[in-house]
Structure formats: C-alpha cells, structure tokens
Amino acid sequence: MILWNNKEFIEDEFINSLVEELKNKPDCYNFEANYYSSYFTHPNERPEIKLNNFYNSIIQKASKDLSLYNRMQYVNEYWMQLYTKNGGVIDKHHHYSPNNIFSWVHFVKPTKEKCFYFLTPNKKIYPNQEEGEFIIFPSFALHAVDVNMCDEDRVIMAGNVIVSNNTN
C-alpha cells in the first residue's frame, strides 16, 4: 500500500502556531465528526500555506525516487487535519480521480494509538505513524481514521499530487 516513505520533522512551536490559526477559523471545524480541517478553505487562506516550500521539496524528492519527476508536471494540493482529543474521526474514503497520481499523509503530531488505516476487504492495515512519518500511497486506496480516544490532539497534513500535464 505504501509507495514511498520518509521522516520529515517540523518544529513543535511552528506546528502549535498553525494549530491555533486553524482552531480560530470557525469554518474549519466539523461538529459532526469533531475535527478541524483546512480542506474546505481556499488554499491561499490555509494556515499551512507557510509550508509550501517544505512540502513541495518532499514531493519533488519522492517523485524523483519514484521515477516520475521528468515524466509529468503536477500540482501538490494539501491540507491540515486536527483530530481533537477524545473524539475526532473520519470515515472511510479515497481520493481517486483520473488526475491524482498519488496521495500522502504526514504524521506531524500523532497520538500514542495508531488511528490512520487502509481498508482491505478483510482487515484494517495500520502503517507506521511515528512523529515525522511521511507516507505516499495510491489515491484509490480506501483509508479511514479511527476515533481519537487519546487525551491529546492529533495533527496530520494530507494531500494529493495531481497531474497537470503528462510530458511522456
């Protein structure tokens, strides 16, 4: 399921400032599922826009390692998710689109319990979710997040890499 992975760290102080910005955007809170997300916010108004160079360099390295770099032009779209302590959850979904080349998750501040998983017909598969773990996976892969039952918030960044022009 995992196409590529690496460890990428962001300073706690910087992440904490992004989390505070996210929490101060009322349109980013999902009352039904008890989590914050910048997904439905215009990309230029997202707190994590300050990380564009950071994430674009990771995607560039990964696309080189996956032999995709000179074969396509792409757009890296990403957003921040904050799963609140004792409750935040997202049901199964995928990011499939004919233009998505792959999807990714960066476990910026994970909890002690693994929450993110891939769904197969017979079981849940939990990848490594240590702090800094950055994984790339096929966009069609069904995935979900268990309820965050820990007494701490969980912060991730998630994204899709979308082909904007095929050069081969």
Side-chain angles (χ1 to χ4, degrees), residues 1-2 114-129 135 142-144:
M1 216 50 83
I2 304 295
K114 291 181 179 181
C115 296
F116 177 88
Y117 62 89
F118 295 106
L119 196 59
T120 69
N122 300 321
K123 64 181 177 179
K124 295 177 178 180
I125 299 172
Y126 293 86
N128 188 18
Q129 298 176 37
I135 61 170
L142 279 177
H143 56 283

Side-chain angles (χ1 to χ4, degrees), residues 102-161:
F102 53 76
S103 298
W104 58 267
V105 175
H106 184 200
F107 300 97
V108 177
K109 285 184 107 173
T111 55
K112 294 174 218 113
E113 300 295 322
K114 291 181 179 181
C115 296
F116 177 88
Y117 62 89
F118 295 106
L119 196 59
T120 69
N122 300 321
K123 64 181 177 179
K124 295 177 178 180
I125 299 172
Y126 293 86
N128 188 18
Q129 298 176 37
E130 295 173 10
E131 183 176 344
E133 194 72 31
F134 187 103
I135 61 170
I136 290 178
F137 56 93
S139 297
F140 62 80
L142 279 177
H143 56 283
V145 176
D146 288 330
V147 175
N148 179 11
M149 297 306 292
C150 293
D151 61 355
E152 57 191 350
D153 290 343
R154 182 174 172 272
V155 180
I156 62 105
M157 300 287 180
N160 297 310
V161 173

Side-chain angles (χ1 to χ4, degrees), residues 60-114:
Q60 182 178 13
K61 179 180 179 351
S63 66
K64 286 178 180 178
D65 289 350
L66 294 168
S67 300
L68 296 169
Y69 184 69
N70 292 322
R71 299 173 62 195
M72 65 175 184
Q73 293 177 348
Y74 59 86
V75 175
N76 180 27
E77 292 186 353
Y78 67 97
W79 56 95
M80 181 167 52
Q81 304 266 122
L82 167 67
Y83 300 94
T84 57
K85 57 185 171 184
N86 302 313
V89 65
I90 290 189
D91 201 9
K92 69 181 175 184
H93 63 287
H94 60 79
H95 297 256
Y96 178 74
S97 159
N99 295 328
N100 283 3
I101 189 74
F102 53 76
S103 298
W104 58 267
V105 175
H106 184 200
F107 300 97
V108 177
K109 285 184 107 173
T111 55
K112 294 174 218 113
E113 300 295 322
K114 291 181 179 181

Side-chain angles (χ1 to χ4, degrees), residues 4 19 161:
W4 186 89
V19 165
V161 173

Side-chain angles (χ1 to χ4, degrees), residues 3 22 50 62 69 75 112 168:
L3 300 173
L22 185 69
K50 299 166 188 149
Y69 184 69
V75 175
K112 294 174 218 113
N168 274 348

